[in-house]
Amino acid sequence: MPEIFINYRTGDGEQAATTLDNALRTRFGDDHVYRASRSIAPGDLFDSDLISNVRTSSVLLALIGDRWLDKPTLGTDEDWVTKEILEAFRHDIRVVPVLIGRRTERPAKRDLPDSLLWLTDCQTLRYDHQTDERDLKHIGDALADLVPALAAADRTAHQPDAPAATGNSTGDLHNSWVVHTGQVTGSTVHIGPDASRHSHHTVHQNGTGANYVAGDNHDGIRQSFGATPPAEDGK
């Protein structure tokens, strides 16, 4: 059962409808979003399919662009955009107008038929392609807050946290190789055969974020990672 029904007018909001459909399905799953041109299967009766899915949804997104008011049949049963919105209203389904583009304003009451006057009192959301990522996230967040089933299905809420930085602390090691990654602190490190019986000959290579030591080592190796600026004269 779709929780989100995307209502849009052909010639006014189909591109935004497709973008919203893809983004919301990615976030909440295919089964939670309905868009007629994708969701109606070939051979299905589109009128009954539209009405039944409006009635079983939790929220209807009414996409309104700058040509939304141009339809002469607006407010009548001949206009499917109107029929879907009124069907949601009659069944107490939340209707959220989504204004398409930064310049689109909510329709004024003087421009609406009596059956849709209540639409001007609904709080709106906005989608603009120039702020695409921000607007899609904001719309998704708002829907997750409004509909518990969407919050439970929200894939962004279940993403694992980034792994913590690796911390290593090394004491005395004999006849061993030691590799440190991330934050490193150490005391005395012996690499190679028992350093107590051999000379203190080493090959030692340093660099920002890396330290390489080979040979017999004794009396400690201290390691520090990260660039340290050279001291100025007199400092």
Side-chain angles (χ1 to χ4, degrees):
M1 181 184 74
E3 300 290 340
I4 305 165
F5 188 102
I6 300 178
N7 165 274
Y8 64 97
R9 186 179 298 292
T10 301
D12 180 66
E14 66 263 42
Q15 184 173 351
T18 300
T19 301
L20 277 166
D21 181 31
N22 291 335
L24 294 174
R25 285 189 296 127
T26 296
R27 179 163 179 174
F28 300 114
D30 290 352
D31 294 341
H32 288 299
V33 187
Y34 182 95
R35 178 173 61 91
S37 58
R38 175 186 57 81
S39 302
I40 301 177
D44 285 355
L45 299 176
F46 74 88
D47 51 351
S48 60
D49 196 277
L50 287 167
I51 294 302
S52 63
N53 278 282
V54 168
R55 291 174 179 173
T56 56
S57 64
S58 296
V59 59
L60 180 143
L61 299 181
L63 275 55
I64 299 175
D66 57 4
R67 294 187 297 276
W68 189 82
L69 289 169
D70 294 345
K71 189 77 170 178
T73 56
L74 179 68
T76 73
D77 282 344
E78 297 177 36
D79 178 33
W80 268 100
V81 167
T82 299
K83 286 182 69 171
E84 292 166 6
I85 292 173
L86 291 179
E87 191 69 21
F89 181 70
R90 284 192 289 264
H91 286 81
D92 294 323
I93 293 162
R94 184 183 294 270
V95 175
V96 179
V98 179
L99 305 178
I100 303 172
R102 65 177 64 185
R103 293 185 176 86
T104 302
E105 300 296 336
R106 73 175 68 207
K109 289 189 176 184
R110 64 178 179 274
D111 298 323
L112 290 173
D114 290 346
S115 61
L116 293 174
L117 288 177
W118 56 271
L119 199 59
T120 64
D121 296 326
C122 294
Q123 182 64 286
T124 62
L125 294 170
R126 185 175 297 277
Y127 168 75
D128 182 71
H129 72 278
Q130 295 186 20
T131 52
D132 180 277
E133 185 175 349
R134 184 194 68 186
D135 291 351
L136 292 173
K137 182 180 184 305
H138 180 59
I139 292 169
D141 290 347
L143 293 172
D145 288 341
L146 291 170
V147 183
L150 293 178
D154 191 351
R155 294 168 178 172
T156 64
H158 306 298
Q159 291 179 350
D161 296 332
T166 303
N168 299 286
S169 180
T170 305
D172 293 338
L173 301 175
H174 298 273
N175 299 323
S176 303
W177 289 96
V178 179
V179 178
H180 291 289
T181 304
Q183 179 184 356
V184 179
T185 60
S187 53
T188 303
V189 180
H190 300 283
I191 303 176
D194 186 354
S196 63
R197 298 197 303 268
H198 298 274
S199 64
H200 296 215
H201 175 69
T202 66
V203 179
H204 191 167
Q205 179 179 327
N206 270 296
T208 300
N211 187 295
Y212 168 76
V213 180
D216 299 330
N217 302 277
H218 193 56
D219 295 332
I221 299 172
R222 298 185 181 276
Q223 305 184 57
S224 177
F225 295 96
T228 303
E232 298 178 3
D233 292 343
K235 297 286 183 73

